[in-house]
Amino acid sequence: MPDRSVVIASANGLHARPASLFVQAVAASGLAVELTRGDKTLNASSILGLISLGLQHGDEVTLHAEGDNADAVLDDLAGFLGTDHDA
Amino acid sequence: MSDSVSLSGVGIGRGLALGPILRMPDPLPEPADVASTVGADAEKVRSAGALAATAADIRLRGQRAGGAAKDVLDAQAFMAEDPTLKDDVDARITSGKTAERAVYEAFAAFRDLLTSMGGYMGERATDLNDVSQRVVAHLQGVSAPGVPDPDYKFVLVARDLAPADTALLDLDKVLALITSDGGPTSHTAILAREKSIVAVVGATGALELTDDQTVIVDATTGAVTVDPTDEQKAAAEATIASRAAAADVPVGPGALADGTAVPLLANLGSVDGAEPAIEKGAEGVGLFRTEFLFLDADRAPTVAEQQEKYTQLLTAFAGKKVVVRALDAGADKPLSFLNDAPEENPALGLRGIRALRANEPILRDQLTALANADAATDADLWVMAPMVSTVEESRYFTKLAKELGIKTAGVMIEVPAAALLADRILPETDFASIGTNDLTQYTLAADRLLGSVASFQDPWHPAVLRLVGEVGRAGASLGKPVGICGEAAADPLLAVVLVGLGATSLSMSPAALADVRAELARFSLDQAKEFAELALSANSAVEARVAVVNAANAFTTSISTITESE
């Protein structure tokens, strides 16, 4: 059951542009990825779900996926969220 | 003379265009909440197909647009493909809705959620509306809303254009704009003027025009000739060609016939506009609108970010005067980080200097960035406060600007109160600049965005001119400069009248510089003052214009009578 905890690094949070790039990366992985923040868990390929979480710089989220390559996929996705895309 | 029909509206600038019409589709009505006639399974297939097709279409548009637009459109494509949204649509269909209604409601639910979050997220609500409309249009088999994008040049006809639509216009394809709504100083008209798009706004009957009819759009007269004859087309083409040739003649500083210098400056909204403005002979910048730097931002830019932009601008105008207006948000251009509160009458609300005062750290950052940029460059930087209405506000802004290192600080006169007390405001500050669009709006109590009152929005109105005269007189007696930076300065003959009323410089969209320069050169300062008296003594804007046009023509005729000995 691979999980990754990651802190949102983008200075302005996960707004439309980084959210769209993230959703693209999730779709490319071919796996069903879940993103949890607090008590809310959502399908990580939902851009509207991500935007409506209003994730800000410094917020902590957990990623979860199962299947082939899940570890590698999660490492990539965690790396994406851990990078400042507003820099 | 001919069988062609003519529509009339208010022309923006003096351009002329000829081409086929394309209508901007109207926003779709809300889909009716009726029972499905085809059953839930079929509705789900329809909605899934429309969502996927819309995503593909938006993505294709993004690839064609490239750059920043591609990022925005990619995000919109993911919204159309969103699995959570699709689940929501399917659930609504299961409960008996049609695909159209389910899509409409599901997007609306997300939109309301984002709107309730406010700020940046709230602004994304517009994107959702756009995607929702596109999906519903696909389901109904009608054209998607938004600016059409054919592979030929066309004349765009719309009810009105949102600023976002105007900003995304492909200027290589749009020959002209015709709107049925909107006045001469609406945001759309200003942007059209700034981008030198031929435009006629407030043209009654424009919405009856159909795609692929041909029109001649004449911004000088505000006339739209529908289905012109071959002779009319040939005459228009000849005029377009000769004006293109005339635009290439050398340019010089603005001056009256007697040599009185009237510096001609440019109104700019972005640093990119600097180069073309200089080519058209701008002697500096009379109004740099800083809010366009902030429009897409969900937060105020930092001092360093602003300083970089201002430095670019001042570098482009080295050795010249550059008048920058402090952030002017509100009414037609709201900025969430300055004033998020809903207002019944935004034009009368917390805007201009009022909003800046309520957010003084933002004003301080902007003035600091400007002072730093000034110190690093060779331009002559002046900074002015928007929408000042009291002597005290003038004192406040000037003091703060000086404290933060601004050498020349002034105020904009856009409110009748400020014009009437110009003799007390000017001693408190270095200069005044009259924004004739807002001054007309506030003097005539006519919303500049509202088509139904567009006829009131005329800076030739003697009441407006009398206020301009008050400021001109105060400036002359106190030795302080009085500029005009509203669109009135772009009307060549009105520009002469404004100089007669005491304006010492004129600022306009660069496209208007050549015509105004030529008109000023025809008359002396005494004649300008005569024209001003004629206009002031009229009872209406129309009378004022007619009186001055006749006086100017009489002068021209007497000259040509002598030279042509007719």
Side-chain angles (χ1 to χ4, degrees), chain B residues 35-214:
Chain B
S36 167
T37 54
V38 295
D41 287 345
E43 295 286 13
K44 284 178 190 170
V45 171
R46 290 181 67 224
S47 64
L51 287 164
T54 304
D57 175 58
I58 293 175
R59 201 160 272 134
L60 194 65
R61 282 156 44 86
Q63 276 165 11
R64 284 210 305 257
K70 180 176 184 299
D71 289 342
V72 173
L73 292 170
D74 278 349
Q76 287 198 351
F78 282 116
M79 291 175 189
E81 281 174 343
D82 196 296
T84 313
L85 178 106
K86 185 171 178 301
D87 290 348
D88 190 3
V89 170
D90 286 348
R92 289 172 198 272
I93 289 175
T94 304
S95 76
K97 308 281 183 186
T98 62
E100 286 90 337
R101 184 70 195 180
V103 164
Y104 171 83
E105 289 183 3
F107 273 101
F110 266 109
R111 181 195 62 215
D112 293 346
L113 177 64
L114 295 190
T115 306
S116 70
M117 294 168 69
Y120 179 81
M121 300 303 168
E123 285 161 29
R124 300 275 70 77
T126 318
D127 295 357
L128 272 181
N129 280 340
D130 185 53
V131 180
S132 173
Q133 291 247 322
R134 285 178 182 281
V135 180
V136 172
H138 196 277
L139 283 167
Q140 295 179 338
V142 299
S143 310
V147 178
D149 188 20
D151 54 7
Y152 56 87
K153 296 185 177 189
F154 62 100
V155 173
L156 182 62
V157 175
R159 188 173 294 281
D160 200 2
L161 289 170
D165 294 328
T166 322
L168 288 174
L169 288 181
D170 181 347
L171 299 185
D172 291 333
K173 289 209 188 124
V174 178
L175 295 164
L177 291 177
I178 304 173
T179 67
S180 63
D181 295 0
T185 60
S186 63
H187 203 217
T188 300
I190 290 172
L191 284 173
R193 212 178 251 126
E194 187 169 280
K195 294 190 170 190
S196 306
I197 304 173
V198 179
V200 170
V201 301
T204 313
L207 297 183
E208 270 120 65
L209 296 170
T210 56
D211 285 0
D212 298 327
Q213 274 185 310
T214 296

Side-chain angles (χ1 to χ4, degrees), chain A residues 12 15 17 45-48 52, chain B residues 71 82-84 113 120 299:
Chain A
N12 294 331
H15 57 81
R17 197 180 65 88
S45 59
S46 167
I47 188 170
L48 293 170
S52 60
Chain B
D71 289 342
D82 196 296
T84 313
L113 177 64
Y120 179 81
R299 63 184 173 93

Side-chain angles (χ1 to χ4, degrees), chain B residues 428-440:
Chain B
E428 303 290 341
T429 193
D430 295 328
F431 69 97
S433 182
I434 305 177
T436 47
N437 302 336
D438 272 324
L439 185 59
T440 307

